[in-house]
Amino acid sequence: MDMSSREIRMPLSEVVSVLQDLNEFVVSLDRLGSRQASGTADEYTVGKFIADWDVARRLARARRVISVELDAQLSEEGNAEIDALCDQGRFYGTDNAIGPSTDRSS
């Protein structure tokens, strides 16, 4: 499937809701990274943010909002292709996701 020419329509309210969540996460994680760099935050602070701000559930909801529209607007084959592409991602705790402790690039 040529994805460059495909368009998916979503209700604007859903797009805005997902963008609000993503913006909160990007800005907050950037601020946390700056605090870690300056020594005023540690891994506990990041973990507390993830738990207190319900990051996992909110990201799962964003994924669901997009997936529902894809499922409704693409063929079964198109959805299977997108699922296969998403399965190629890097996932923490798997061999294909190199973390800071196993990074051998230097």
Side-chain angles (χ1 to χ4, degrees):
M1 168 178 46
D2 180 17
M3 286 187 250
S4 63
S5 64
R6 295 294 312 256
E7 291 184 17
I8 299 297
R9 297 176 85 56
M10 292 178 58
L12 183 58
S13 61
E14 294 287 2
V15 171
V16 169
S17 176
V18 167
L19 285 174
Q20 284 174 326
D21 281 347
L22 294 175
N23 191 50
E24 284 181 21
F25 300 146
V26 168
V27 170
S28 297
L29 289 170
D30 180 61
R31 289 179 180 170
L32 282 166
S34 294
R35 287 182 58 196
Q36 281 185 309
S38 70
T40 61
D42 58 13
E43 292 82 11
Y44 172 79
T45 308
V46 176
K48 186 164 174 38
F49 163 74
I50 290 170
D52 289 353
W53 287 55
D54 206 10
V55 173
R57 185 196 57 79
R58 291 169 65 191
L59 287 173
R61 189 193 70 78
R63 180 180 60 186
R64 185 177 63 252
V65 165
I66 294 168
S67 294
V68 164
E69 296 303 331
L70 289 172
D71 288 346
Q73 296 176 48
L74 295 179
S75 67
E76 189 173 321
E77 294 80 22
N79 277 304
E81 186 174 338
I82 289 173
D83 288 344
L85 289 170
C86 290
D87 286 342
Q88 294 174 14
R90 292 178 32 194
F91 303 100
Y92 183 83
T94 61
D95 291 339
N96 65 340
I98 297 174
S101 62
T102 59
D103 187 355
R104 296 179 183 99
S105 61
S106 28

